[in-house]
Amino acid sequence: MKKLLKAVFYTLCILIIGSFLYSIIANNFDFNKASVLGYKINHVMSGSMNPIIQTDDYILSKSANFNDIKVGDIITYRCSAKDLEGYEKYQDEIIIHRVIEKNDDYLKTKGDANEIADPWNVHPNDVISIATYDLTKKINLLNQKNN
């Protein structure tokens, strides 16, 4: 039974990854637009969310709008920092951080490993998705069970 479940899981992973690759190609290699059934795969590039999410993890996230988000959610968003002196390099970067505050106009976010909140506001049109699953941890767990 375990082998069957494992085979089904790997088959589903292959189908999802294949569909995602097709979506990437169909969207002219724009990874931020690529999705399968509303889900996206995000590659984590920093340790700002340690220990929950680590550098080089792959996160599955579901497309979301501003109204779907609540305090405590881990979201991906496009950074709007062009008007903040010293933070221009973050403009249009895709960031994965936790929501620590929400009002009708914007969100405030913070990386779990960071001491201070992000200096910019996340506006409704900046929100991309809500993180739902750490694929890297699941794959590593399956590999450990096989060894």
Side-chain angles (χ1 to χ4, degrees):
M1 183 68 169
K2 281 185 178 181
K3 287 188 178 203
L4 176 64
L5 288 175
K6 190 169 144 184
V8 168
F9 176 77
Y10 281 126
T11 301
L12 286 174
C13 285
I14 290 169
L15 288 172
I16 290 169
I17 291 169
S19 298
F20 184 71
L21 290 173
Y22 172 79
S23 179
I24 290 170
I25 293 167
N27 285 292
N28 295 317
F29 296 93
D30 185 344
F31 287 84
N32 299 316
K33 291 182 181 175
S35 69
V36 176
L37 300 174
Y39 286 88
K40 302 169 184 300
I41 297 175
N42 305 98
H43 182 216
V44 178
M45 304 297 288
S46 79
S48 67
M49 287 300 294
N50 282 342
I52 300 296
I53 301 171
Q54 299 177 2
T55 305
D56 284 333
D57 278 0
Y58 287 89
I59 303 300
L60 185 67
S61 61
K62 180 155 180 53
S63 297
N65 63 50
F66 188 81
N67 295 329
D68 297 330
I69 308 296
K70 56 190 177 308
V71 172
D73 286 342
I74 298 172
I75 65 168
T76 62
Y77 64 90
R78 186 176 306 279
C79 183
S80 296
K82 67 181 174 204
D83 298 329
L84 290 174
E85 188 173 330
Y87 294 97
E88 300 89 355
K89 69 180 180 180
Y90 295 104
Q91 178 63 27
D92 291 329
E93 289 289 319
I94 303 302
I95 297 178
I96 302 172
H97 278 176
R98 188 179 303 279
V99 176
I100 60 169
E101 180 184 326
K102 180 180 181 181
N103 64 41
D104 292 338
D105 300 317
Y106 62 86
L107 307 168
K108 291 299 288 182
T109 58
K110 177 183 170 293
D112 288 359
N114 296 346
E115 293 191 17
I116 61 171
D118 298 328
W120 47 78
N121 296 328
V122 179
H123 300 283
N125 59 341
D126 299 330
V127 173
I128 299 173
S129 59
I130 298 174
T132 58
Y133 200 74
D134 188 333
L135 295 171
T136 306
K137 284 185 176 56
K138 184 63 177 174
I139 291 168
N140 289 339
L141 183 64
L142 287 173
N143 287 335
Q144 288 174 0
K145 286 183 178 180
N146 288 334
N147 293 332

